[in-house]
Amino acid sequence: MCPAALGLAAQAPTEASMSPQRIVRVSLEHPTSAVCVAGVETLVDIYGSVPEGTEMFEVYGTPGVDVYISPSMERGRERADTRRWHFDNGLEIIVVMNSPSNDLNDSHVQISYHSSHEPLPLAYAVLYLTCVDIALDCDLNCEGRQDRSYVDKRQWVWGPGGYGAVLLVNCDRDDVTCYDQDNCDRHVNCLQDLEDMSVMVLRTQGPAALFDDHKLILHTSSYDAKWARVFHACGPEDSCEAYRHVLGQNKVSYEVPRFHGDEERFFVEGLSFPDARFTGLVSFHVTLLDDSNEDFSESPIFTDTVVFRVAPWIMTPSTLPPLEVYVCRVRNNTCFVDAVAELARKAGCKLTVCPQKENRNDRWIQDEMELGYVQAPHKTFPVVFDSPRNGELQDFPYKRILGPDFGYVTREPQDSSVSGLDSFGNLEVSPPVVADGKEYPLGRILIGGNLPGSSGRRVTQVVRDFLYAQRVQPPVELFVDWLAVGHVDEFLSFVPAPDGKGFRMLLASPSACFKLFQEKQKWGHGRALLFKGVVGDKPVHTVSINQVLSNVDLISYNKFVQSCIDWNREVLKRELGLTERDIVDIPQLFKTERKKAVAFFPDLVNMLVLGKYLGIPKPFGPIINGQCCLEEKVRSLLEPLGLHCTFIDDFTPYHMLHGEVHCGTNVRRQPFSFKWWNMVP
């Protein structure tokens, strides 16, 4: 099968992508033979054996052999067969063949040496040539990029005008009879596994007899061997046994046997995502070795190189269409699960319920994992990022989600540095934005930590290293250490919008809540009660608007909370390129527990976003004219955007445990239509 049929960019060898120019020395005593590679320059040294009295020389090549003279760097090069050349040690003779030979030594270059005192040449030297075409090919022109026929394969260039091959981390489990991920062993356990790998083709054309005393070696560095594994198709490709592990981990070189003649197919899988010790780039090389002289060691003639970039793990913002909703069934949340199921039905997405025997009453499925994806030109599949929190749900991502075309990744610190901030309610991503002239077409990751220079809690180093190393969604660190739980989803979320930037950022706002309550008090509703109608295991004391507005400590503390949110507001406006028109203030109050903030009533921004359908914590706010004034206010802010608000009672099973609807659910979403390789980090 030709490379084009494989979807590969068959790159003709070019000087830029090949090894340095090879030097061949000719002799007067006996003819010299050499191997050259199609399209690659060979320098011919004629100065080592020159007849006495030589003043000039002529150079001619047989058909198919182009010979050039380079008098100097300034003058460039000229075709050699145009005239006789004065003998000068500064001259370079360059030979190029563009087509492979049919037989050994079937082309040659002849050099004749001349003197002005002799009518005939003083001597002749002949260089016999055998040309072989060798190329290591892969898919360099990804979707959305310009079709470039000749590129430097040793480079990987970002952007729509860039080029370079993409490698997926083969982190799913296509063979359901296996326990481990596909890239954890050195075997192809099922043919579906090959679909997650990138194809690399070695093409060779030239006389078969050349390889009686020449070798082709596929190789990589010991460093790159840590990050990728290569399989060689050594037999019928419909059999798993045909795929031999030839490079990766402890294997850094492989002599390529000539099984199939002109073309050998290799399958490459990624072993690890980019991280602090790994940039994501992996190089493979093929080298032609001359083994024809028994008295000398093998000598390299030519090397071709290709570079892969391992595809990053990509997060999906809440503004992308939902595909699947996850929720845990625990002892006291049957009504909550039913409400989430109904919302998923309206949004037209799948519902997966983790049963109590698997979650062991750990309901915080948002904290346990983050659902993203990986993408190459030939394949896209979701990947779950398992948090290091390791609660009772710790086995769920690996045992229940990892499977065919569903990958898995985790990062665990070596020490005991995990805190509440390492739960993935503290890991969000914005929609696509432009900030300070810089485009972020896949949005920016948002994680919470402490204030710069302070000694508070931060996300553990291994998780931060992983997120920063992906490069395509540069993280923004926000201030969350003022919160008891310490998650960014406690004070912000994103919803889709039909205008502007295509979304709105929702921020919890004590100021907006006090303003709303003051308006209601002004209109004579100060005795309206919060928490009326809450049903739970423990009684909840109601509190009136008047009591809230007369609680000096509550007001003072919420001024502090508002200052913390305002600090984040300015960071988000600057780092995401937002204006006030892009932000919606959602009324919310907080109270203090052990000098940290928790929601006073169910946290309205901690919502489940399924397209235009929103699952919002039911706030149990003051009932005025038969309506909860908090619900009414939220509807007035969001429904003009075409959104449908459903208020879900999470008070007892979630709010009383310092969590809400978003904390208790998780969503797998459609990938971005934008291809990550077209951006410029």
Side-chain angles (χ1 to χ4, degrees):
M1 185 181 293
C2 68
L6 290 167
L8 302 175
Q11 303 296 314
T14 65
E15 180 182 347
S17 63
M18 306 307 171
S19 40
Q21 292 171 320
R22 184 169 180 243
I23 300 175
V24 177
R25 292 174 175 83
V26 297
S27 170
L28 291 174
E29 285 75 25
H30 53 79
T32 307
S33 62
V35 175
C36 62
V37 176
V40 181
E41 297 178 351
T42 299
L43 295 182
V44 180
D45 182 359
I46 65 172
Y47 304 108
S49 180
V50 180
E52 187 176 348
T54 297
E55 299 174 56
M56 293 173 290
F57 67 91
E58 293 179 350
V59 184
Y60 294 95
T62 53
V65 181
D66 295 327
V67 186
Y68 301 93
I69 300 293
S70 179
S72 66
M73 291 293 291
E74 293 76 18
R75 291 180 55 187
R77 63 180 63 177
E78 302 176 30
R79 290 193 65 90
D81 55 7
T82 58
R83 60 190 175 93
R84 188 172 290 184
W85 298 86
H86 285 282
F87 193 81
D88 181 349
N89 284 334
L91 292 178
E92 286 185 344
I93 300 176
I94 302 166
V95 174
V96 180
M97 296 183 69
N98 291 311
S99 299
S101 299
N102 295 316
D103 299 297
L104 293 176
N105 300 327
D106 64 356
S107 300
H108 69 266
V109 171
Q110 178 176 284
I111 302 105
S112 57
Y113 300 88
H114 297 267
S115 168
S116 60
H117 305 293
E118 298 290 341
L120 298 176
L122 300 177
Y124 293 93
V126 178
L127 173 63
Y128 288 99
L129 298 171
T130 303
C131 182
V132 61
D133 189 1
I134 298 172
L136 200 56
D137 288 327
C138 51
D139 189 355
L140 302 181
N141 293 320
C142 300
E143 180 183 342
R145 288 177 159 183
Q146 300 169 8
D147 187 9
R148 303 173 66 115
S149 298
Y150 299 98
V151 298
D152 184 350
K153 295 188 289 184
R154 298 171 301 178
Q155 305 295 321
W156 204 98
V157 181
W158 293 88
Y163 51 84
V166 176
L167 190 61
L168 292 174
V169 177
N170 193 10
C171 58
D172 65 343
R173 183 171 58 203
D174 288 313
D175 186 348
V176 294
T177 64
C178 293
Y179 178 78
D180 293 326
Q181 295 163 264
D182 289 340
N183 62 1
C184 288
D185 61 32
R186 304 178 184 184
H187 306 283
V188 174
N189 294 309
C190 65
L191 295 178
Q192 289 76 16
D193 194 15
L194 298 171
E195 298 174 5
D196 303 333
M197 302 186 195
S198 295
V199 179
M200 183 168 65
V201 175
L202 172 60
R203 296 183 297 112
T204 57
Q205 289 181 286
L210 175 72
F211 294 96
D212 293 341
D213 52 17
H214 289 74
K215 298 178 181 178
L216 281 171
I217 305 297
L218 191 69
H219 57 103
T220 189
S221 68
S222 57
Y223 176 80
D224 285 354
K226 300 175 185 178
W227 316 117
R229 187 183 289 119
V230 179
F231 295 93
H232 184 198
C234 298
E237 294 193 3
D238 58 354
S239 169
C240 291
E241 289 71 26
Y243 299 92
R244 179 193 303 173
H245 169 225
V246 297
L247 286 183
Q249 295 177 310
N250 63 334
K251 294 186 177 183
V252 296
S253 65
Y254 171 63
E255 182 178 345
V256 182
R258 292 181 60 77
F259 288 135
H260 307 138
D262 294 345
E263 188 176 284
E264 300 293 336
R265 279 164 50 94
F266 299 87
F267 293 81
V268 190
E269 66 176 358
L271 302 181
S272 181
F273 285 96
D275 217 321
R277 298 185 303 114
F278 175 42
T279 64
L281 293 177
V282 180
S283 297
F284 296 103
H285 321 273
V286 63
T287 295
L288 177 64
L289 293 179
D290 184 349
D291 194 27
S292 61
N293 195 320
E294 296 180 357
D295 298 326
F296 301 101
S297 61
E298 301 163 338
S299 60
I301 294 175
F302 163 80
T303 297
D304 196 11
T305 297
V306 295
V307 176
F308 288 90
R309 181 175 290 280
V310 173
W313 178 75
I314 301 172
M315 290 181 64
T316 54
S318 57
T319 51
L320 285 175
L323 297 174
E324 184 174 8
V325 178
Y326 295 83
V327 66
C328 292
R329 188 180 298 280
V330 294
R331 177 181 55 83
N332 61 346
N333 76 337
T334 299
C335 293
F336 178 86
V337 172
D338 291 345
V340 170
E342 175 61 18
L343 199 70
R345 185 194 66 79
K346 289 180 180 178
C349 50
K350 178 182 176 182
L351 177 71
T352 295
V353 178
C354 176
Q356 188 172 1
K357 66 179 181 180
E358 292 183 22
N359 63 57
R360 291 167 286 192
N361 232 39
D362 183 354
R363 65 203 70 201
W364 309 116
I365 199 164
Q366 179 66 227
D367 289 342
E368 182 59 39
M369 63 188 190
E370 186 68 38
L371 296 161
Y373 69 96
V374 292
Q375 186 170 56
H378 65 282
K379 186 71 176 283
T380 301
F381 61 82
V383 175
V384 58
F385 185 12
D386 190 359
S387 81
R389 74 182 277 266
N390 292 339
E392 296 299 323
L393 266 171
Q394 63 178 331
D395 294 333
F396 180 74
Y398 195 88
K399 290 185 176 180
R400 280 288 304 273
I401 294 183
L402 171 64
D405 289 340
F406 211 132
Y408 173 93
V409 64
T410 190
R411 287 294 181 270
E412 298 274 354
Q414 297 299 313
D415 54 24
S416 57
S417 62
V418 174
S419 73
L421 272 64
D422 296 305
S423 297
F424 284 169
N426 193 34
L427 174 61
E428 298 297 321
V429 66
S430 78
V433 292
V434 179
D436 197 22
K438 172 70 175 174
E439 294 185 7
Y440 300 95
L442 301 175
R444 299 190 68 176
I445 288 171
L446 306 175
I447 55 175
N450 53 16
L451 284 173
S454 69
S455 58
R457 298 169 294 172
R458 289 189 80 188
V459 174
T460 190
Q461 187 70 48
V462 292
V463 172
R464 278 188 285 129
D465 286 345
F466 175 83
L467 296 174
Y468 277 92
Q470 306 314 304
R471 296 190 65 186
V472 296
Q473 296 173 309
V476 177
E477 296 196 44
L478 301 173
F479 173 39
V480 300
D481 200 29
W482 53 277
L483 288 156
V485 176
H487 294 175
V488 293
D489 69 350
E490 295 179 79
F491 66 90
L492 70 82
S493 60
F494 296 91
V495 295
D499 57 0
K501 293 181 173 65
F503 68 89
R504 295 289 191 277
M505 182 175 72
L506 311 185
L507 287 181
S509 175
S511 295
C513 190
F514 282 127
K515 181 180 178 181
L516 175 66
F517 284 1
Q518 287 165 354
E519 289 175 355
K520 300 306 178 184
Q521 185 186 56
K522 180 180 177 181
W523 288 99
H525 302 295
R527 299 174 67 182
L529 299 175
L530 285 87
F531 310 132
K532 188 176 181 181
V534 172
V535 177
D537 300 332
K538 299 179 181 179
V540 177
H541 298 292
T542 58
V543 58
S544 70
I545 290 177
N546 287 337
Q547 289 173 306
V548 168
L549 295 179
S550 62
N551 189 327
V552 176
D553 291 337
L554 184 67
I555 292 172
S556 176
Y557 189 72
N558 275 275
K559 286 181 179 179
F560 161 73
V561 168
Q562 187 66 61
S563 71
C564 296
I565 295 174
D566 287 345
W567 192 92
N568 287 308
R569 185 191 201 97
E570 294 308 309
V571 172
L572 290 160
K573 286 167 67 175
R574 180 179 67 250
E575 298 296 334
L576 302 184
L578 304 182
T579 67
E580 286 298 322
R581 288 176 294 180
D582 304 314
I583 302 172
V584 177
D585 289 308
I586 301 296
Q588 185 64 49
L589 294 182
F590 294 82
K591 61 184 179 179
T592 179
E593 287 190 7
R594 298 178 183 177
K595 298 184 179 181
K596 301 287 186 180
V598 297
F600 181 70
F601 52 80
D603 192 347
L604 292 161
V605 299
N606 193 276
M607 63 179 67
L608 173 62
V609 181
L610 301 179
K612 64 182 180 179
Y613 297 98
L614 308 180
I616 305 171
K618 184 175 180 61
F620 289 95
I623 304 298
I624 298 172
N625 298 325
Q627 299 233 4
C628 168
C629 68
L630 287 169
E631 291 185 19
E632 186 179 43
K633 180 63 176 178
V634 171
R635 289 185 192 277
S636 72
L637 293 170
L638 300 182
E639 289 186 348
L641 300 174
L643 302 171
H644 298 261
C645 299
T646 298
F647 291 91
I648 298 175
D649 181 359
D650 72 348
F651 201 99
T652 298
Y654 293 92
H655 173 70
M656 295 292 286
L657 300 175
H658 297 164
E660 309 290 355
V661 174
H662 185 259
C663 305
T665 56
N666 215 313
V667 184
R668 177 172 64 88
R669 300 181 184 276
Q670 285 186 17
F672 285 99
S673 58
F674 182 88
K675 310 303 179 186
W676 63 266
W677 50 80
N678 287 325
M679 72 175 292
V680 179

